[in-house]
């Protein structure tokens, strides 16, 4: 008591006390309370272990719950004995521990002088490491179980935090107790004050805070070292976590079953998880597993005295670096999944958005629901051009971080995950969860998905197309190309920028392939192309309303609306903005048949049988489309024939959408049609006139291709008559007998004019004669 209170005691007295304390720990028979209170437990569990403190450690093991149950009176007698002998002050008092841990102390803790209280702390730091031996591990945890239940038994903690405990927790002297603040509750009080901000006031001193963090690190290794957690969660540990016996698994298990826990246990686990979100270094086992990645990528934030969630954010951002090991990746992902259960478990998000959540999303607890609530508010304010955003700037910034992190793993989007669980099991069973690989797998087999999952994936794609930065796979695969081509592009225009640079010579092939994938997706439904949707908002209901009437929400239209707009483009009926967008789509799909879902759907058999070699080419440059045009007469399926005829019709409207013809005639266009603006069939008409003009000599390849096209158009005119005046005019202008037809039409008009003139004269004469009568 005197030593604990800091009073002076002579060295002789201290030596005698040390011997006596050692004797008590070695021989339980010297303690009447142990003999009286623990007789049954000794006989039942610990008989024959009389010497060298083995009986006491056997009883400690029983109390820890590893060998059966122990009575309350025996447990209290053991706690009293540990308090009297105080082995935390000098580990040598506990002979069983000393002998079991001698080799570990000699290797791992040799820098600390013998008998120093920090030896125990050093041993705890090496728990579950290669330097620890099994016997030492057991003896250490048995003793720490009791030390953790009375803060005064940790000598260093008591020495550094005595003043703080008295000031903040109203504790009494070393050997005095209080019902209002029992020894086990003092540490809980200290750690509540350890993580207070300056604004909240009443913080711990720096020395005491460091000790509290040390104890928290130790307790995170074993739930039995946290008295409150073990007490409140005993039933839940048995119910949910009885099979989780590996290191650190029990706490992870409780976090996984947070919603299933009884109220008191849920509060304890929730508070501990909230604390971890602020200072993940409390998770000593995770920190040990992540040491290489921390040293390489996160050493700056790891060195900060106050973590504030920066270290976990850094680990999440670097989760897929090649230096990342499996244990660290699993630990980081687990913490991300736990964070989804309550927005308070994301410290930075909580601190940035707590006022916004209280104001805009009250009574919402789950993080994913809070993110959706705040994101919806931000989007609505943006769309309505609100003068002042309802969500604060600091919250909007952190909200963006959370949104981007959630795109990396489908399990971080619970609604999507639940809707697609069976599909994942059926189609993506062997695909890893990280790097958005499951999401990408579902996108690729979208047509095979269950209705509910399909709808959720469609909604996800619609969101990603509106905001491509949320497309994790695109951003990962094209990271370097974005830096090269789109460094200043707005996140909403990222895909548009990549599409514009897709055919650059320095474009990365993998990125190019990913851009093409996204273009294929966009062309399945106009709603997945925000730029087209905006440009054609008036044209779509005007020309394609019948398709919209048949459409279902959240399911693709398989390119029907875009095909409809293409036909109107050929008829020159679209608005200028819409025409520009459709022209780009036609040009792109003319180079790659996969970008035309209707063509791919209706001509799949013909492509396989007639154009297999062209379809297998690694680089698509319009070979498949040209093959189908050349083999038009061999196509038997009416729908496929119709699609190919539509392609021919589109090419009349603009030579740019016929890449083979445009390449063949590029020089001739430059020489003979340079002054003619592209679009609306003008350059095509120019080439046709040049073809008929005997004074003009076209390039042989251009001449051949033009004659091929004339033949195709002639056939198309026979099997698909003109549907309107503009279509008829285009057929006439591109006909090989254009001059003859125009001559006939001109003569016909002249004859009609003369007949009209003569009829007019006769009518006038008849009228005059009637008047004269």
């Amino acid at each position: 008591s005197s030593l604990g209170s800091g009073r002076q005691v002579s060295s002789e007295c201290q030596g005698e006390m040390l011997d006596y304390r050692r004797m008590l720990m070695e021989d339980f028979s010297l303690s009447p309370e142990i003999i009286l209170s623990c007789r049954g437990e000794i006989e039942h569990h610990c008989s024959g272990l009389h010497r060298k403190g083995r009986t006491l450690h056997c009883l400690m093991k029983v109390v820890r719950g590893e060998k059966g149950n122990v009575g309350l009176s025996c447990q209290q007698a053991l706690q009293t004995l540990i308090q009297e002998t105080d082995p935390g002050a000098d580990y040598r008092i506990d002979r069983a521990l000393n002998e079991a841990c001698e080799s570990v102390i000699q290797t791992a803790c040799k820098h600390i002088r013998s008998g120093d209280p920090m030896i125990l702390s050093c041993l705890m730091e090496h728990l579950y490491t290669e330097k620890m031996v099994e016997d030492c591990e057991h003896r250490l945890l048995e003793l720490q179980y009791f030390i953790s239940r009375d803060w005064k038994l940790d000598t260093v903690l008591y020495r550094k935090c005595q003043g703080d405990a008295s000031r903040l927790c109203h504790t009494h002297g070393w050997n005095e107790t209080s019902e209002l603040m029992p020894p086990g509750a003092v540490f809980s009080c200290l750690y509540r004050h350890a993580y207070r901000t300056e604004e909240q006031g009443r913080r711990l001193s720096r020395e005491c805070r460091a000790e509290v963090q040390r104890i928290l690190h130790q307790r995170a290794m074993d739930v039995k070292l946290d008295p409150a957690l073990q007490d409140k969660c005993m039933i839940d540990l048995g119910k949910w976590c009885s099979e989780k016996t590996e290191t650190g698994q029990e706490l992870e298990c409780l976090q996984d079953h947070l919603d299933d826990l009884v109220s008191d246990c849920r509060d304890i686990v929730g508070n501990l998880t909230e604390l971890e979100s602020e200072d993940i270094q409390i998770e000593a086992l995770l920190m040990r597993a992540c040491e290489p990645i921390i040293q390489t990528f996160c050493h700056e934030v790891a060195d900060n005295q106050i973590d504030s969630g920066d270290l976990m954010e850094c680990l999440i951002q670097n989760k897929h670096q090649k230096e990342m090991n499996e244990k660290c990746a699993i630990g980081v992902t687990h913490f991300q999944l736990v964070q989804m259960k309550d927005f308070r478990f994301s410290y930075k998000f909580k601190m940035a958005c707590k006022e916004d959540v209280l104001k805009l999303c009250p009574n919402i607890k789950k993080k994913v629901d809070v993110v959706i609530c705040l994101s919806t508010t931000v989007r609505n304010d943006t769309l309505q051009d609100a003068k002042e955003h309802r969500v604060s700037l600091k919250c909007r910034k952190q909200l963006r971080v959370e949104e981007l992190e959630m795109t990396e793993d489908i399990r971080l989007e619970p609604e999507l995950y639940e809707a697609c669980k069976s599909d994942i099991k059926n189609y993506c069973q062997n695909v890893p969860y990280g790097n958005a690989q499951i999401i990408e797998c579902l996108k690729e087999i979208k047509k095979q998905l269950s209705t509910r999952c399909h709808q959720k994936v469609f909604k996800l794609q619609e969101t990603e197309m509106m905001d491509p930065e949320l497309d994790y796979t695109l951003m990962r695969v094209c990271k370097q190309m974005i830096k090269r081509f789109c460094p200043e592009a707005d996140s909403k225009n990222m895909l548009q920028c990549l599409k514009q640079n897709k055919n650059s010579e320095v474009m990365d092939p993998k990125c190019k392939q990913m851009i093409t994938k996204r273009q294929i997706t966009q062309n399945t439904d106009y709603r997945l192309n925000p730029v087209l949707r905006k440009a054609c908002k008036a044209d779509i209901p005007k020309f394609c309303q019948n398709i919209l009437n048949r459409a279902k929400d959240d399911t693709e239209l398989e390119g029907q609306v875009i095909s409809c707009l293409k036909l109107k483009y050929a008829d020159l009926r679209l608005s200028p903005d819409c025409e520009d967008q459709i022209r780009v789509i036609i040009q792109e799909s003319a180079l790659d048949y996969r970008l035309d879902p209707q063509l791919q759907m209706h001509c799949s058999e013909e492509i396989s049988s007639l154009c297999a070699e062209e379809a297998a080419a690694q680089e698509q440059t319009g070979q498949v489309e040209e093959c189908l045009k050349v083999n038009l007469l061999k196509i038997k399926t009416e729908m496929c024939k119709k699609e190919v005829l539509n392609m021919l019709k589109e090419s009349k409207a603009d030579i740019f959408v016929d890449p083979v013809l445009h390449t063949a005639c590029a020089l001739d266009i430059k020489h003979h049609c340079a002054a003619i603006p592209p679009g609306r069939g003008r350059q095509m008409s120019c080439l046709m006139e040049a073809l008929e003009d005997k004074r003009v000599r076209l390039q042989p390849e251009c001449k051949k291709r033009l004659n091929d096209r004339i033949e195709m158009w002639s056939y198309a005119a026979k099997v698909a008559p003109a549907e309107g005046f503009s279509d008829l005019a285009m057929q006439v202008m591109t006909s090989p007998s254009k001059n003859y037809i125009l001559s006939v039409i001109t003569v016909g008009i002249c004859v009609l004019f003369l007949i009209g003139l003569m009829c007019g004269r006769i009518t006038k004469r008849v009228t005059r004669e009637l008047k004269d009568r």
Side-chain angles (χ1 to χ4, degrees), residues 288-293 319 321-330:
R288 204 176 285 165
C290 295
E291 184 65 24
I293 204 85
K319 194 165 72 168
Q321 296 288 353
K322 60 182 179 181
E323 292 85 352
M324 177 63 77
N325 60 69
E326 188 181 5
K327 277 188 178 179
C328 179
I330 289 171

mmCIF file with all atom_site columns, all heavy atoms in Angstrom, residues 288-293 319 321-330:
data_model
loop_
_atom_site.group_PDB
_atom_site.id
_atom_site.type_symbol
_atom_site.label_atom_id
_atom_site.label_alt_id
_atom_site.label_comp_id
_atom_site.label_asym_id
_atom_site.label_entity_id
_atom_site.label_seq_id
_atom_site.pdbx_PDB_ins_code
_atom_site.Cartn_x
_atom_site.Cartn_y
_atom_site.Cartn_z
_atom_site.occupancy
_atom_site.B_iso_or_equiv
_atom_site.pdbx_formal_charge
_atom_site.auth_seq_id
_atom_site.auth_comp_id
_atom_site.auth_asym_id
_atom_site.auth_atom_id
_atom_site.pdbx_PDB_model_num
ATOM 1   N N   . ARG A 1 288 ? 0.222   -5.418  -37.021 1.00 0.00 ? 288 ARG A N   1
ATOM 2   C CA  . ARG A 1 288 ? 1.351   -6.322  -37.235 1.00 0.00 ? 288 ARG A CA  1
ATOM 3   C C   . ARG A 1 288 ? 1.290   -6.916  -38.634 1.00 0.00 ? 288 ARG A C   1
ATOM 4   O O   . ARG A 1 288 ? 2.304   -7.007  -39.337 1.00 0.00 ? 288 ARG A O   1
ATOM 5   C CB  . ARG A 1 288 ? 1.294   -7.430  -36.179 1.00 0.00 ? 288 ARG A CB  1
ATOM 6   C CG  . ARG A 1 288 ? 2.638   -8.091  -35.881 1.00 0.00 ? 288 ARG A CG  1
ATOM 7   C CD  . ARG A 1 288 ? 2.461   -9.087  -34.748 1.00 0.00 ? 288 ARG A CD  1
ATOM 8   N NE  . ARG A 1 288 ? 2.324   -8.435  -33.466 1.00 0.00 ? 288 ARG A NE  1
ATOM 9   C CZ  . ARG A 1 288 ? 1.883   -9.040  -32.369 1.00 0.00 ? 288 ARG A CZ  1
ATOM 10  N NH1 . ARG A 1 288 ? 1.501   -10.297 -32.420 1.00 0.00 ? 288 ARG A NH1 1
ATOM 11  N NH2 . ARG A 1 288 ? 1.819   -8.391  -31.228 1.00 0.00 ? 288 ARG A NH2 1
ATOM 12  N N   . ALA A 1 289 ? 0.094   -7.327  -39.051 1.00 0.00 ? 289 ALA A N   1
ATOM 13  C CA  . ALA A 1 289 ? -0.075  -7.914  -40.390 1.00 0.00 ? 289 ALA A CA  1
ATOM 14  C C   . ALA A 1 289 ? 0.191   -6.886  -41.482 1.00 0.00 ? 289 ALA A C   1
ATOM 15  O O   . ALA A 1 289 ? 0.672   -7.223  -42.564 1.00 0.00 ? 289 ALA A O   1
ATOM 16  C CB  . ALA A 1 289 ? -1.482  -8.481  -40.532 1.00 0.00 ? 289 ALA A CB  1
ATOM 17  N N   . CYS A 1 290 ? -0.138  -5.614  -41.204 1.00 0.00 ? 290 CYS A N   1
ATOM 18  C CA  . CYS A 1 290 ? -0.033  -4.556  -42.222 1.00 0.00 ? 290 CYS A CA  1
ATOM 19  C C   . CYS A 1 290 ? 1.279   -3.776  -42.141 1.00 0.00 ? 290 CYS A C   1
ATOM 20  O O   . CYS A 1 290 ? 1.417   -2.749  -42.827 1.00 0.00 ? 290 CYS A O   1
ATOM 21  C CB  . CYS A 1 290 ? -1.207  -3.582  -42.077 1.00 0.00 ? 290 CYS A CB  1
ATOM 22  S SG  . CYS A 1 290 ? -2.829  -4.328  -42.418 1.00 0.00 ? 290 CYS A SG  1
ATOM 23  N N   . GLU A 1 291 ? 2.210   -4.244  -41.344 1.00 0.00 ? 291 GLU A N   1
ATOM 24  C CA  . GLU A 1 291 ? 3.465   -3.502  -41.147 1.00 0.00 ? 291 GLU A CA  1
ATOM 25  C C   . GLU A 1 291 ? 4.180   -3.177  -42.462 1.00 0.00 ? 291 GLU A C   1
ATOM 26  O O   . GLU A 1 291 ? 4.591   -2.026  -42.678 1.00 0.00 ? 291 GLU A O   1
ATOM 27  C CB  . GLU A 1 291 ? 4.397   -4.297  -40.218 1.00 0.00 ? 291 GLU A CB  1
ATOM 28  C CG  . GLU A 1 291 ? 5.694   -3.594  -39.865 1.00 0.00 ? 291 GLU A CG  1
ATOM 29  C CD  . GLU A 1 291 ? 5.486   -2.331  -39.037 1.00 0.00 ? 291 GLU A CD  1
ATOM 30  O OE1 . GLU A 1 291 ? 4.450   -2.217  -38.360 1.00 0.00 ? 291 GLU A OE1 1
ATOM 31  O OE2 . GLU A 1 291 ? 6.364   -1.455  -39.085 1.00 0.00 ? 291 GLU A OE2 1
ATOM 32  N N   . PRO A 1 292 ? 4.324   -4.133  -43.406 1.00 0.00 ? 292 PRO A N   1
ATOM 33  C CA  . PRO A 1 292 ? 5.038   -3.808  -44.660 1.00 0.00 ? 292 PRO A CA  1
ATOM 34  C C   . PRO A 1 292 ? 4.363   -2.698  -45.458 1.00 0.00 ? 292 PRO A C   1
ATOM 35  O O   . PRO A 1 292 ? 5.029   -1.797  -45.961 1.00 0.00 ? 292 PRO A O   1
ATOM 36  C CB  . PRO A 1 292 ? 5.007   -5.139  -45.435 1.00 0.00 ? 292 PRO A CB  1
ATOM 37  C CG  . PRO A 1 292 ? 4.766   -6.191  -44.405 1.00 0.00 ? 292 PRO A CG  1
ATOM 38  C CD  . PRO A 1 292 ? 3.924   -5.546  -43.352 1.00 0.00 ? 292 PRO A CD  1
ATOM 39  N N   . ILE A 1 293 ? 3.042   -2.767  -45.571 1.00 0.00 ? 293 ILE A N   1
ATOM 40  C CA  . ILE A 1 293 ? 2.324   -1.761  -46.371 1.00 0.00 ? 293 ILE A CA  1
ATOM 41  C C   . ILE A 1 293 ? 2.346   -0.400  -45.672 1.00 0.00 ? 293 ILE A C   1
ATOM 42  O O   . ILE A 1 293 ? 2.411   0.650   -46.312 1.00 0.00 ? 293 ILE A O   1
ATOM 43  C CB  . ILE A 1 293 ? 0.875   -2.227  -46.665 1.00 0.00 ? 293 ILE A CB  1
ATOM 44  C CG1 . ILE A 1 293 ? 0.321   -1.541  -47.921 1.00 0.00 ? 293 ILE A CG1 1
ATOM 45  C CG2 . ILE A 1 293 ? -0.067  -1.983  -45.524 1.00 0.00 ? 293 ILE A CG2 1
ATOM 46  C CD1 . ILE A 1 293 ? 0.661   -2.203  -49.187 1.00 0.00 ? 293 ILE A CD1 1
ATOM 47  N N   . LYS A 1 319 ? -4.975  -0.966  -50.696 1.00 0.00 ? 319 LYS A N   1
ATOM 48  C CA  . LYS A 1 319 ? -5.323  -2.361  -50.419 1.00 0.00 ? 319 LYS A CA  1
ATOM 49  C C   . LYS A 1 319 ? -4.895  -3.312  -51.534 1.00 0.00 ? 319 LYS A C   1
ATOM 50  O O   . LYS A 1 319 ? -4.657  -4.492  -51.296 1.00 0.00 ? 319 LYS A O   1
ATOM 51  C CB  . LYS A 1 319 ? -6.832  -2.467  -50.184 1.00 0.00 ? 319 LYS A CB  1
ATOM 52  C CG  . LYS A 1 319 ? -7.256  -3.781  -49.557 1.00 0.00 ? 319 LYS A CG  1
ATOM 53  C CD  . LYS A 1 319 ? -8.662  -3.726  -49.013 1.00 0.00 ? 319 LYS A CD  1
ATOM 54  C CE  . LYS A 1 319 ? -9.704  -3.694  -50.083 1.00 0.00 ? 319 LYS A CE  1
ATOM 55  N NZ  . LYS A 1 319 ? -11.066 -3.916  -49.559 1.00 0.00 ? 319 LYS A NZ  1
ATOM 56  N N   . GLN A 1 321 ? -2.193  -2.866  -53.617 1.00 0.00 ? 321 GLN A N   1
ATOM 57  C CA  . GLN A 1 321 ? -0.790  -2.759  -54.012 1.00 0.00 ? 321 GLN A CA  1
ATOM 58  C C   . GLN A 1 321 ? -0.151  -4.149  -53.967 1.00 0.00 ? 321 GLN A C   1
ATOM 59  O O   . GLN A 1 321 ? -0.568  -5.011  -53.200 1.00 0.00 ? 321 GLN A O   1
ATOM 60  C CB  . GLN A 1 321 ? -0.035  -1.820  -53.063 1.00 0.00 ? 321 GLN A CB  1
ATOM 61  C CG  . GLN A 1 321 ? -0.515  -0.385  -53.082 1.00 0.00 ? 321 GLN A CG  1
ATOM 62  C CD  . GLN A 1 321 ? -0.137  0.356   -54.348 1.00 0.00 ? 321 GLN A CD  1
ATOM 63  O OE1 . GLN A 1 321 ? 0.603   -0.152  -55.183 1.00 0.00 ? 321 GLN A OE1 1
ATOM 64  N NE2 . GLN A 1 321 ? -0.648  1.571   -54.515 1.00 0.00 ? 321 GLN A NE2 1
ATOM 65  N N   . LYS A 1 322 ? 0.869   -4.361  -54.786 1.00 0.00 ? 322 LYS A N   1
ATOM 66  C CA  . LYS A 1 322 ? 1.502   -5.692  -54.833 1.00 0.00 ? 322 LYS A CA  1
ATOM 67  C C   . LYS A 1 322 ? 2.178   -6.040  -53.510 1.00 0.00 ? 322 LYS A C   1
ATOM 68  O O   . LYS A 1 322 ? 2.359   -7.223  -53.193 1.00 0.00 ? 322 LYS A O   1
ATOM 69  C CB  . LYS A 1 322 ? 2.505   -5.755  -55.986 1.00 0.00 ? 322 LYS A CB  1
ATOM 70  C CG  . LYS A 1 322 ? 3.639   -4.739  -55.895 1.00 0.00 ? 322 LYS A CG  1
ATOM 71  C CD  . LYS A 1 322 ? 4.554   -4.841  -57.105 1.00 0.00 ? 322 LYS A CD  1
ATOM 72  C CE  . LYS A 1 322 ? 5.675   -3.795  -57.031 1.00 0.00 ? 322 LYS A CE  1
ATOM 73  N NZ  . LYS A 1 322 ? 6.561   -3.852  -58.211 1.00 0.00 ? 322 LYS A NZ  1
ATOM 74  N N   . GLU A 1 323 ? 2.531   -5.016  -52.713 1.00 0.00 ? 323 GLU A N   1
ATOM 75  C CA  . GLU A 1 323 ? 3.165   -5.282  -51.411 1.00 0.00 ? 323 GLU A CA  1
ATOM 76  C C   . GLU A 1 323 ? 2.160   -5.760  -50.359 1.00 0.00 ? 323 GLU A C   1
ATOM 77  O O   . GLU A 1 323 ? 2.540   -6.248  -49.305 1.00 0.00 ? 323 GLU A O   1
ATOM 78  C CB  . GLU A 1 323 ? 3.851   -4.008  -50.877 1.00 0.00 ? 323 GLU A CB  1
ATOM 79  C CG  . GLU A 1 323 ? 5.065   -3.553  -51.661 1.00 0.00 ? 323 GLU A CG  1
ATOM 80  C CD  . GLU A 1 323 ? 4.724   -2.687  -52.868 1.00 0.00 ? 323 GLU A CD  1
ATOM 81  O OE1 . GLU A 1 323 ? 3.532   -2.534  -53.207 1.00 0.00 ? 323 GLU A OE1 1
ATOM 82  O OE2 . GLU A 1 323 ? 5.662   -2.169  -53.488 1.00 0.00 ? 323 GLU A OE2 1
ATOM 83  N N   . MET A 1 324 ? 0.864   -5.604  -50.637 1.00 0.00 ? 324 MET A N   1
ATOM 84  C CA  . MET A 1 324 ? -0.170  -5.978  -49.675 1.00 0.00 ? 324 MET A CA  1
ATOM 85  C C   . MET A 1 324 ? -0.205  -7.500  -49.505 1.00 0.00 ? 324 MET A C   1
ATOM 86  O O   . MET A 1 324 ? -0.219  -8.236  -50.475 1.00 0.00 ? 324 MET A O   1
ATOM 87  C CB  . MET A 1 324 ? -1.532  -5.472  -50.157 1.00 0.00 ? 324 MET A CB  1
ATOM 88  C CG  . MET A 1 324 ? -2.711  -5.863  -49.279 1.00 0.00 ? 324 MET A CG  1
ATOM 89  S SD  . MET A 1 324 ? -2.669  -5.207  -47.606 1.00 0.00 ? 324 MET A SD  1
ATOM 90  C CE  . MET A 1 324 ? -3.174  -3.501  -47.874 1.00 0.00 ? 324 MET A CE  1
ATOM 91  N N   . ASN A 1 325 ? -0.222  -7.951  -48.236 1.00 0.00 ? 325 ASN A N   1
ATOM 92  C CA  . ASN A 1 325 ? -0.313  -9.390  -47.977 1.00 0.00 ? 325 ASN A CA  1
ATOM 93  C C   . ASN A 1 325 ? -1.761  -9.769  -47.666 1.00 0.00 ? 325 ASN A C   1
ATOM 94  O O   . ASN A 1 325 ? -2.603  -8.917  -47.390 1.00 0.00 ? 325 ASN A O   1
ATOM 95  C CB  . ASN A 1 325 ? 0.615   -9.802  -46.825 1.00 0.00 ? 325 ASN A CB  1
ATOM 96  C CG  . ASN A 1 325 ? 0.275   -9.090  -45.532 1.00 0.00 ? 325 ASN A CG  1
ATOM 97  O OD1 . ASN A 1 325 ? -0.766  -9.333  -44.923 1.00 0.00 ? 325 ASN A OD1 1
ATOM 98  N ND2 . ASN A 1 325 ? 1.142   -8.175  -45.106 1.00 0.00 ? 325 ASN A ND2 1
ATOM 99  N N   . GLU A 1 326 ? -2.045  -11.058 -47.715 1.00 0.00 ? 326 GLU A N   1
ATOM 100 C CA  . GLU A 1 326 ? -3.418  -11.545 -47.585 1.00 0.00 ? 326 GLU A CA  1
ATOM 101 C C   . GLU A 1 326 ? -4.033  -11.202 -46.229 1.00 0.00 ? 326 GLU A C   1
ATOM 102 O O   . GLU A 1 326 ? -5.184  -10.767 -46.148 1.00 0.00 ? 326 GLU A O   1
ATOM 103 C CB  . GLU A 1 326 ? -3.455  -13.056 -47.805 1.00 0.00 ? 326 GLU A CB  1
ATOM 104 C CG  . GLU A 1 326 ? -4.869  -13.616 -47.871 1.00 0.00 ? 326 GLU A CG  1
ATOM 105 C CD  . GLU A 1 326 ? -4.902  -15.124 -48.062 1.00 0.00 ? 326 GLU A CD  1
ATOM 106 O OE1 . GLU A 1 326 ? -3.819  -15.743 -48.039 1.00 0.00 ? 326 GLU A OE1 1
ATOM 107 O OE2 . GLU A 1 326 ? -6.010  -15.667 -48.225 1.00 0.00 ? 326 GLU A OE2 1
ATOM 108 N N   . LYS A 1 327 ? -3.255  -11.383 -45.146 1.00 0.00 ? 327 LYS A N   1
ATOM 109 C CA  . LYS A 1 327 ? -3.785  -11.120 -43.798 1.00 0.00 ? 327 LYS A CA  1
ATOM 110 C C   . LYS A 1 327 ? -4.209  -9.677  -43.640 1.00 0.00 ? 327 LYS A C   1
ATOM 111 O O   . LYS A 1 327 ? -5.271  -9.378  -43.097 1.00 0.00 ? 327 LYS A O   1
ATOM 112 C CB  . LYS A 1 327 ? -2.726  -11.471 -42.732 1.00 0.00 ? 327 LYS A CB  1
ATOM 113 C CG  . LYS A 1 327 ? -2.678  -12.931 -42.359 1.00 0.00 ? 327 LYS A CG  1
ATOM 114 C CD  . LYS A 1 327 ? -1.759  -13.141 -41.163 1.00 0.00 ? 327 LYS A CD  1
ATOM 115 C CE  . LYS A 1 327 ? -1.734  -14.601 -40.744 1.00 0.00 ? 327 LYS A CE  1
ATOM 116 N NZ  . LYS A 1 327 ? -0.827  -14.817 -39.603 1.00 0.00 ? 327 LYS A NZ  1
ATOM 117 N N   . CYS A 1 328 ? -3.367  -8.760  -44.097 1.00 0.00 ? 328 CYS A N   1
ATOM 118 C CA  . CYS A 1 328 ? -3.671  -7.329  -43.981 1.00 0.00 ? 328 CYS A CA  1
ATOM 119 C C   . CYS A 1 328 ? -4.895  -6.990  -44.829 1.00 0.00 ? 328 CYS A C   1
ATOM 120 O O   . CYS A 1 328 ? -5.801  -6.282  -44.366 1.00 0.00 ? 328 CYS A O   1
ATOM 121 C CB  . CYS A 1 328 ? -2.469  -6.488  -44.416 1.00 0.00 ? 328 CYS A CB  1
ATOM 122 S SG  . CYS A 1 328 ? -2.752  -4.711  -44.323 1.00 0.00 ? 328 CYS A SG  1
ATOM 123 N N   . ALA A 1 329 ? -4.951  -7.504  -46.053 1.00 0.00 ? 329 ALA A N   1
ATOM 124 C CA  . ALA A 1 329 ? -6.088  -7.216  -46.952 1.00 0.00 ? 329 ALA A CA  1
ATOM 125 C C   . ALA A 1 329 ? -7.396  -7.708  -46.346 1.00 0.00 ? 329 ALA A C   1
ATOM 126 O O   . ALA A 1 329 ? -8.418  -7.002  -46.373 1.00 0.00 ? 329 ALA A O   1
ATOM 127 C CB  . ALA A 1 329 ? -5.855  -7.856  -48.318 1.00 0.00 ? 329 ALA A CB  1
ATOM 128 N N   . ILE A 1 330 ? -7.383  -8.914  -45.764 1.00 0.00 ? 330 ILE A N   1
ATOM 129 C CA  . ILE A 1 330 ? -8.589  -9.472  -45.145 1.00 0.00 ? 330 ILE A CA  1
ATOM 130 C C   . ILE A 1 330 ? -9.010  -8.616  -43.951 1.00 0.00 ? 330 ILE A C   1
ATOM 131 O O   . ILE A 1 330 ? -10.192 -8.316  -43.763 1.00 0.00 ? 330 ILE A O   1
ATOM 132 C CB  . ILE A 1 330 ? -8.336  -10.933 -44.708 1.00 0.00 ? 330 ILE A CB  1
ATOM 133 C CG1 . ILE A 1 330 ? -8.243  -11.835 -45.945 1.00 0.00 ? 330 ILE A CG1 1
ATOM 134 C CG2 . ILE A 1 330 ? -9.442  -11.431 -43.778 1.00 0.00 ? 330 ILE A CG2 1
ATOM 135 C CD1 . ILE A 1 330 ? -7.789  -13.251 -45.652 1.00 0.00 ? 330 ILE A CD1 1
#
